[in-house]
Amino acid sequence: RKEVEQDPGPFNVPEGATVAFNCTYSNSASQSFFWYRQDCRKEPKLLMSVYSSGNEDGRFTAQLNRASQYISLLIRDSKLSDSATYLCVVNESGNQFYFGTGTSLTVIP
Amino acid sequence: EAQVTQNPRYLITVTGKKLTVTCSQNMNHEYMSWYRQDPGLGLRQIYYSMNVEVTDKGDVPEGYKVSRKEKRNFPLILESPSPNQTSLYFCASSLIGQSYEQYFGPGTRLTVT
């Protein structure tokens, strides 16, 4: 069983649309959670950490549901520049990280 | 400029020929890690280090070695590379703490024939 599972997509959405990605994790003792963005086989870059109470950064909102063991990312008012692969990342025991396989997003003009 | 550097960026080698991929960071981060990325499998952690002389296995350590003699450097060593180690490799570093925001190097594309 994979530690972190994501819907690979692809998600093709028009500019201005709202899109949501979900990610589930298997270890209930996982400590911290992140969303990273990766452009076309370049290095991943942190988009946002995910806090228990949920958090927002501009058009991006992240939610954590510990009871159901999933995290989500909501992107509002999609821009062409949001086209990328979004990686869900879970930190276990403070030092090991598990990445989802990524969800591909293409924003269409 | 704060960064993680990796060398080489591209490498084609033959089975069994020992190689080292270097990783260096200039942010005084305690934590460093190596990942490999393969289609359909995502990034998988190979080894990580919490500080100098402290290293531990990640999810897929077989066939790899690491060392952490200095805080800024964390080389990845393949003693006897095999074709199944053909992959895209990323080094990352972070401070240790609640945020664990990892900064990644640009990646090394390795082909073993």
Side-chain angles (χ1 to χ4, degrees):
Chain A
R1 183 176 67 169
K2 289 184 180 178
E3 298 288 333
V4 179
E5 301 219 39
Q6 286 181 256
D7 180 348
F11 284 66
N12 299 314
V13 302
E15 268 187 294
T18 295
V19 61
F21 308 136
N22 288 329
C23 164
T24 59
Y25 61 95
S26 61
N27 187 341
S28 59
S30 296
Q31 298 185 0
S32 49
F33 310 87
F34 310 88
W35 284 102
Y36 277 74
R37 171 194 169 126
Q38 186 176 28
D39 293 283
C40 200
R41 304 294 270 181
K42 291 193 173 181
E43 71 272 24
K45 293 185 179 178
L46 181 70
L47 180 66
M48 57 199 303
S49 301
V50 186
Y51 302 122
S52 296
S53 55
N55 47 300
E56 192 174 303
D57 183 2
R59 299 181 293 108
F60 299 86
T61 301
Q63 298 276 353
L64 167 65
N65 185 320
R66 283 192 182 271
S68 301
Q69 294 180 211
Y70 79 82
I71 68 174
S72 63
L73 177 68
L74 183 78
I75 305 175
R76 289 182 298 279
D77 188 24
S78 299
K79 312 288 185 194
L80 296 177
S81 57
D82 293 334
S83 297
T85 297
Y86 291 83
L87 307 174
C88 171
V89 184
V90 173
N91 175 231
E92 294 187 4
S93 65
N95 43 33
Q96 275 197 268
F97 290 84
Y98 292 91
F99 283 69
T101 53
T103 298
S104 173
L105 172 67
T106 301
V107 181
I108 304 162
Chain B
E1 180 190 353
Q3 60 183 352
V4 179
T5 57
Q6 293 179 228
N7 282 292
R9 294 288 313 280
Y10 302 91
L11 179 60
I12 300 173
T13 189
V14 295
T15 298
K17 186 176 181 182
K18 180 179 177 180
L19 66 92
T20 300
V21 183
T22 64
C23 172
S24 183
Q25 51 92 5
N26 62 1
M27 296 169 278
N28 202 35
H29 286 167
E30 300 95 350
Y31 183 89
M32 297 186 74
S33 183
W34 276 102
Y35 298 89
R36 61 177 289 174
Q37 185 172 33
D38 302 288
L41 295 176
L43 277 89
R44 292 177 293 166
Q45 194 168 29
I46 303 171
Y47 269 95
Y48 61 91
S49 169
M50 302 293 282
N51 214 323
V52 175
E53 302 292 1
V54 181
T55 63
D56 213 339
K57 296 177 180 178
D59 218 24
V60 287
E62 295 79 20
Y64 304 95
K65 285 174 58 177
V66 292
S67 68
R68 188 90 181 272
K69 294 185 171 60
E70 303 166 286
K71 196 172 187 179
R72 62 183 293 127
N73 296 323
F74 190 45
L76 180 69
I77 303 154
L78 284 72
E79 295 270 4
S80 182
S82 62
N84 64 13
Q85 293 179 297
T86 292
S87 187
L88 177 59
Y89 291 86
F90 288 105
C91 179
S93 73
S94 76
L95 292 170
I96 289 178
Q98 184 65 26
S99 67
Y100 262 106
E101 176 182 348
Q102 293 188 81
Y103 293 83
F104 283 79
T108 295
R109 189 169 294 280
L110 172 66
T111 302
V112 183
T113 60

